Amino acid sequence: MSRLGTLLRQTMTIARRDFVATVFTPTFLIFLFAPVVMGSFGAIGGLGANAATHGGGDKTRIVAIVEGDQARAMMAVDAQLRKLYRDESDAPATLRTDTPGADPAAQAHALIEDKSIDVPVVIFGPLGHPHILYTPNATRSADYVAQLAEQTLRVGRTGAAPLSDATRTEINRTAPRLRSGKESGFFAVFAIFFLTLLLAGQVVSGVAEEKGNKVIEILAAAVPLESVFFGKLLGTFGVAILFLLFWGTLVTQIGTLMPANFAAGIAALTPAMGMPMFTLLFFAYFTMAYMLLGAVFLGVGAQASSVREIQLLSLPITLIQVSMFGLGAVAISHPNGWLATFARFFPLSSPYYMAGRAAQSPDLWPHAAALAWQAVWVAIFVSIGVRAFRRGVLQSGSGKFRWKALFGRS
């Protein structure tokens, strides 16, 4: 058997060992259901924020100090304008009309200063030249009230009956929207970031743990260190694939239970090259992103000798991932700029950017070149990690990666 064949067999043996050691443990179930825990915390936070927002919103009003007929007309116009807001959280606060007193200006200032109710906007005076008081964070509500005064005057001149009766027909366009490509691109970048953030970090703890109990040194004595590193990388990637298969199957089965608006938003994501090819490229770029980050983390984790050092490494590792996400997200928004060129060729950001680019452009040849480029850097990062481990831990010489020896004969 050739050296390459022997290396591959040894690599797969290490990969199978790490995969089995990770999956067939009770703690793997905790890892598998980590998104449930994360989602629960997110839901609790969202419910708390929603309760706080609506709790304050019950006492929030925008006030119009107008006469009786204009007050009724304004309330009718307000009811019509609010139909334009699909989400109640985006709509202005509830409108209240007050009868003008002897000094409407003083009345308006008193409402703004009233501590028993939150009044961010007050309009008073003749609607032809109204005066609007508003707090610094209520600019949009002030604009809404100004438009409310305009439409109320128009109703007073033309009557409340509608002047237009539109016929609306919903159609499904066959060509993908330009905005849809950008949305799909950002979704791809975010998905790769989330998955690598959740899954790639386990490489660090695994190799550091085995380094601490001397297991990795025993493995290095039995098989080439290149096989150990590549095997661990493939083993943890197998765990990541199992994770994706589990949650992918679960999400497809409960997709019918999702809110209609959410399901429609997902369906509107139409990549430029079509969903089947985009799905294949997305998986390929997730693989490369995982391998690249995993190779870096493998080399870094091999230098750690305790749990404390692993914890200290968590922050820079997370910062690297967040930086690559930010770089990829900004680059796909400006695909012709210098930042996009940098993101395309920088190894750690290349999978993020190219996954987003796959949603915007139907060309395939750049992806073949990008995947080959990223694969070369996976080998480079692993070889650097092997060399650093040999010199810093095993202290066994220069640790040069002997590429020619892989293709010799045993």
Side-chain angles (χ1 to χ4, degrees), residues 1-18 219-232 234 406:
M1 182 180 292
S2 67
R3 290 288 180 87
L4 179 60
T6 302
L7 180 66
L8 290 176
R9 181 172 57 82
Q10 294 169 337
T11 299
M12 296 310 297
T13 300
I14 299 295
R16 183 171 63 252
R17 168 189 172 275
D18 278 43
L219 293 175
V223 297
L225 199 54
E226 291 82 6
S227 294
V228 175
F229 273 54
F230 271 116
K232 287 188 169 297
L234 292 176
L406 299 180

Side-chain angles (χ1 to χ4, degrees), residues 157-322:
R157 294 177 182 179
T158 62
L163 302 179
S164 174
D165 185 14
T167 300
R168 299 187 297 180
T169 304
E170 181 180 350
I171 63 172
N172 294 321
R173 60 181 297 177
T174 56
R177 297 177 295 121
L178 179 62
R179 182 181 177 184
S180 179
K182 293 184 177 180
E183 293 171 348
S184 302
F186 180 80
F187 178 80
V189 173
F190 176 78
I192 290 180
F193 162 72
F194 177 78
L195 292 174
T196 53
L197 181 67
L198 185 64
L199 301 173
Q202 61 181 326
V203 180
V204 179
S205 58
V207 70
E209 178 185 356
E210 293 194 349
K211 179 193 169 186
N213 56 27
K214 306 299 182 182
V215 172
I216 195 170
E217 296 183 16
I218 297 174
L219 293 175
V223 297
L225 199 54
E226 291 82 6
S227 294
V228 175
F229 273 54
F230 271 116
K232 287 188 169 297
L233 197 55
L234 292 176
T236 54
F237 181 67
V239 175
I241 294 300
L242 182 62
F243 180 91
L244 292 180
L245 289 175
F246 173 80
W247 280 103
T249 303
L250 196 62
V251 168
T252 55
Q253 295 302 315
I254 65 174
T256 55
L257 301 178
M258 294 181 180
N261 292 339
F262 182 81
I266 295 296
L269 299 177
T270 52
M273 63 177 51
M275 187 58 72
M277 181 57 67
F278 175 75
T279 303
L280 291 176
L281 285 175
F282 175 82
F283 179 77
Y285 285 122
F286 163 70
T287 302
M288 288 295 105
Y290 185 94
M291 292 294 181
L292 284 164
L293 285 171
V296 174
F297 299 162
L298 199 62
V300 172
Q303 306 302 314
S305 57
S306 65
V307 176
R308 177 174 295 181
E309 290 186 6
I310 295 175
Q311 292 174 343
L312 291 175
L313 291 171
S314 298
L315 179 59
I317 286 173
T318 303
L319 289 178
I320 290 174
Q321 292 174 297
V322 173

Side-chain angles (χ1 to χ4, degrees), residues 50-213:
N50 185 61
T53 301
H54 284 79
D58 292 341
K59 294 185 177 181
T60 302
R61 296 288 186 273
I62 55 177
V63 179
I65 303 176
V66 290
E67 298 289 352
D69 291 339
Q70 287 187 331
R72 287 187 290 272
M74 185 173 286
M75 293 295 292
V77 170
D78 176 69
Q80 291 294 324
L81 291 179
R82 287 181 184 273
K83 294 179 181 178
L84 300 177
Y85 294 93
R86 300 297 182 185
D87 191 347
E88 292 184 2
S89 61
D90 294 333
T94 304
L95 175 66
R96 191 185 86 184
T97 57
D98 287 1
T99 303
D103 188 353
Q107 185 180 355
H109 281 85
L111 286 170
I112 293 288
E113 299 294 337
D114 192 348
K115 295 181 179 180
S116 63
I117 188 172
D118 183 11
V119 180
V121 180
V122 180
I123 181 173
F124 64 93
L127 294 185
H129 299 281
H131 195 165
I132 300 174
L133 301 181
Y134 64 95
T135 56
N137 59 346
T139 305
R140 292 184 61 187
S141 295
D143 294 339
Y144 175 80
V145 169
Q147 188 60 224
L148 200 59
E150 171 74 16
Q151 297 303 320
T152 300
L153 283 180
R154 292 181 181 273
V155 167
R157 294 177 182 179
T158 62
L163 302 179
S164 174
D165 185 14
T167 300
R168 299 187 297 180
T169 304
E170 181 180 350
I171 63 172
N172 294 321
R173 60 181 297 177
T174 56
R177 297 177 295 121
L178 179 62
R179 182 181 177 184
S180 179
K182 293 184 177 180
E183 293 171 348
S184 302
F186 180 80
F187 178 80
V189 173
F190 176 78
I192 290 180
F193 162 72
F194 177 78
L195 292 174
T196 53
L197 181 67
L198 185 64
L199 301 173
Q202 61 181 326
V203 180
V204 179
S205 58
V207 70
E209 178 185 356
E210 293 194 349
K211 179 193 169 186
N213 56 27

